[in-house]
Coordinates of all heavy atoms in Angstrom, one line a residue:
V1 N 0.9 -1.2 0.0 CA 0.0 0.0 0.0 C 0.9 1.2 0.0 O 1.9 1.3 0.6 CB -0.9 0.0 1.2 CG1 -1.8 1.3 1.3 CG2 -1.8 -1.2 1.3
V2 N 0.5 2.3 -0.7 CA 1.2 3.5 -0.7 C 0.4 4.4 0.3 O -0.8 4.7 0.1 CB 1.2 4.2 -2.1 CG1 1.9 5.5 -2.1 CG2 1.9 3.2 -3.1
V3 N 1.1 4.9 1.3 CA 0.5 5.7 2.3 C 1.1 7.1 2.3 O 2.4 7.2 2.2 CB 0.7 5.0 3.7 CG1 0.1 5.9 4.9 CG2 0.1 3.6 3.7
G4 N 0.3 8.1 2.5 CA 0.8 9.5 2.5 C 0.8 10.2 3.8 O -0.1 9.8 4.7
Y5 N 1.7 11.1 4.0 CA 1.7 11.9 5.3 C 1.9 13.4 4.8 O 2.8 13.7 4.1 CB 2.8 11.5 6.2 CG 2.9 12.4 7.4 CD1 1.9 12.4 8.4 CD2 4.0 13.3 7.5 CE1 2.0 13.2 9.5 CE2 4.1 14.1 8.6 CZ 3.1 14.1 9.6 OH 3.2 15.0 10.7
A6 N 0.9 14.2 5.3 CA 1.0 15.7 5.0 C 1.0 16.4 6.3 O 0.2 16.1 7.2 CB -0.2 16.1 4.1
R7 N 1.8 17.5 6.3 CA 1.9 18.3 7.6 C 2.2 19.7 7.2 O 3.0 20.0 6.4 CB 2.9 17.8 8.5 CG 3.0 18.6 9.8 CD 4.2 18.2 10.6 NE 5.5 18.4 10.0 CZ 6.1 19.6 10.0 NH1 5.6 20.6 10.6 NH2 7.3 19.7 9.4
T8 N 1.5 20.7 7.9 CA 1.9 22.1 7.9 C 2.1 22.5 9.3 O 1.6 21.8 10.3 CB 0.8 23.0 7.3 OG1 -0.4 22.8 8.0 CG2 0.6 22.7 5.8
S9 N 2.9 23.5 9.5 CA 3.3 23.9 10.9 C 2.2 24.6 11.6 O 2.1 24.6 12.8 CB 4.5 24.9 10.8 OG 5.6 24.2 10.2
T10 N 1.3 25.3 10.9 CA 0.2 26.0 11.6 C -1.1 25.8 10.9 O -1.2 25.4 9.7 CB 0.5 27.6 11.6 OG1 0.4 28.0 10.2 CG2 1.8 27.9 12.2
A11 N -2.2 26.0 11.6 CA -3.5 25.9 11.0 C -3.8 26.9 9.9 O -4.7 26.7 9.1 CB -4.6 26.0 12.1
D12 N -3.1 28.0 9.9 CA -3.3 29.0 8.9 C -2.8 28.6 7.5 O -3.1 29.2 6.5 CB -2.5 30.3 9.3 CG -3.1 30.9 10.5 OD1 -4.2 30.7 10.9 OD2 -2.3 31.7 11.2
Q13 N -2.0 27.5 7.4 CA -1.5 27.1 6.1 C -2.3 26.1 5.4 O -1.9 25.0 5.0 CB -0.1 26.5 6.4 CG 0.9 27.5 6.9 CD 2.2 26.9 7.3 OE1 2.2 25.8 8.0 NE2 3.3 27.5 6.9
V14 N -3.6 26.4 5.3 CA -4.6 25.5 4.6 C -4.2 25.2 3.2 O -4.3 24.0 2.8 CB -6.0 26.1 4.7 CG1 -7.0 25.2 4.0 CG2 -6.4 26.2 6.2
A15 N -3.8 26.2 2.4 CA -3.4 26.0 1.0 C -2.3 25.0 0.9 O -2.3 24.2 0.0 CB -3.1 27.3 0.4
G16 N -1.3 25.1 1.8 CA -0.2 24.2 1.8 C -0.5 22.8 2.0 O 0.0 21.9 1.4
L17 N -1.5 22.6 3.0 CA -1.9 21.3 3.3 C -2.7 20.7 2.1 O -2.5 19.5 1.7 CB -2.8 21.3 4.6 CG -3.1 19.9 5.1 CD1 -1.9 19.2 5.6 CD2 -4.1 20.1 6.3
E18 N -3.6 21.5 1.5 CA -4.3 21.0 0.4 C -3.4 20.7 -0.8 O -3.7 19.7 -1.5 CB -5.4 22.1 0.0 CG -6.5 22.3 1.0 CD -7.4 23.4 0.7 OE1 -7.1 24.3 -0.2 OE2 -8.4 23.5 1.4
A19 N -2.4 21.5 -1.0 CA -1.4 21.2 -2.1 C -0.7 19.8 -1.9 O -0.6 19.0 -2.8 CB -0.4 22.3 -2.2
Q20 N -0.3 19.6 -0.6 CA 0.3 18.3 -0.3 C -0.7 17.2 -0.5 O -0.3 16.1 -1.1 CB 0.8 18.3 1.2 CG 1.9 19.2 1.5 CD 2.3 19.2 2.9 OE1 2.6 18.1 3.4 NE2 2.3 20.3 3.6
Q21 N -1.9 17.3 -0.1 CA -2.9 16.3 -0.3 C -3.1 16.0 -1.8 O -3.1 14.8 -2.2 CB -4.3 16.7 0.2 CG -4.3 16.8 1.7 CD -5.6 17.4 2.2 OE1 -6.1 18.4 1.6 NE2 -6.1 16.9 3.3
R22 N -3.1 17.0 -2.7 CA -3.2 16.8 -4.1 C -2.0 16.0 -4.6 O -2.2 15.1 -5.4 CB -3.4 18.1 -4.9 CG -4.8 18.7 -4.7 CD -4.9 19.9 -5.7 NE -4.0 20.9 -5.5 CZ -4.1 22.0 -4.6 NH1 -5.2 22.0 -3.9 NH2 -3.2 22.9 -4.5
E23 N -0.8 16.4 -4.2 CA 0.4 15.7 -4.7 C 0.4 14.2 -4.2 O 0.8 13.3 -4.9 CB 1.6 16.4 -4.1 CG 1.9 17.7 -4.8 CD 3.2 18.3 -4.4 OE1 4.2 17.6 -4.3 OE2 3.2 19.5 -4.0
L24 N -0.1 14.0 -3.0 CA -0.1 12.6 -2.5 C -1.1 11.8 -3.2 O -0.9 10.6 -3.5 CB -0.3 12.6 -0.9 CG 0.8 13.2 -0.1 CD1 0.3 13.4 1.3 CD2 2.0 12.4 -0.2
E25 N -2.3 12.4 -3.5 CA -3.3 11.7 -4.3 C -2.7 11.3 -5.7 O -2.9 10.2 -6.2 CB -4.6 12.5 -4.4 CG -5.3 12.6 -3.1 CD -6.4 13.6 -3.1 OE1 -6.7 14.3 -4.2 OE2 -7.1 13.8 -2.1
K26 N -2.0 12.2 -6.3 CA -1.4 12.0 -7.6 C -0.4 10.9 -7.5 O -0.2 10.1 -8.5 CB -0.8 13.2 -8.2 CG -1.8 14.3 -8.7 CD -1.0 15.5 -9.2 CE -2.0 16.6 -9.6 NZ -1.3 17.8 -10.1
A27 N 0.3 10.8 -6.4 CA 1.3 9.7 -6.2 C 0.7 8.3 -5.9 O 1.4 7.4 -5.8 CB 2.2 10.1 -5.0
G28 N -0.7 8.3 -5.9 CA -1.4 7.0 -5.7 C -1.6 6.6 -4.3 O -1.8 5.4 -4.0
C29 N -1.5 7.5 -3.3 CA -1.7 7.1 -1.9 C -3.1 6.6 -1.7 O -4.1 7.3 -2.0 CB -1.4 8.3 -1.0 SG 0.4 8.8 -1.1
A30 N -3.2 5.4 -1.1 CA -4.5 4.9 -0.8 C -5.0 5.4 0.5 O -6.2 5.5 0.7 CB -4.4 3.3 -0.7
R31 N -4.1 5.9 1.4 CA -4.5 6.5 2.7 C -3.6 7.6 2.9 O -2.4 7.5 2.7 CB -4.4 5.4 3.8 CG -4.6 5.9 5.2 CD -6.1 5.6 5.6 NE -6.3 6.2 6.9 CZ -6.4 5.6 8.0 NH1 -6.3 4.3 8.0 NH2 -6.7 6.2 9.1

């Protein structure tokens, strides 16, 4: 299984977290 982990340092960095999620989805992360 390909598993992804995304993290931003603060709650204000929503765009950064969303960008990481998109990249991880493109990488085929199942979770």
Side-chain angles (χ1 to χ4, degrees):
V1 177
V2 179
V3 179
Y5 174 71
R7 180 188 64 81
T8 58
S9 298
T10 68
D12 295 337
Q13 297 173 314
V14 174
L17 190 62
E18 290 172 348
Q20 289 179 59
Q21 290 171 323
R22 284 191 300 272
E23 288 185 48
L24 293 170
E25 288 170 0
K26 285 181 186 176
C29 294
R31 174 94 188 256

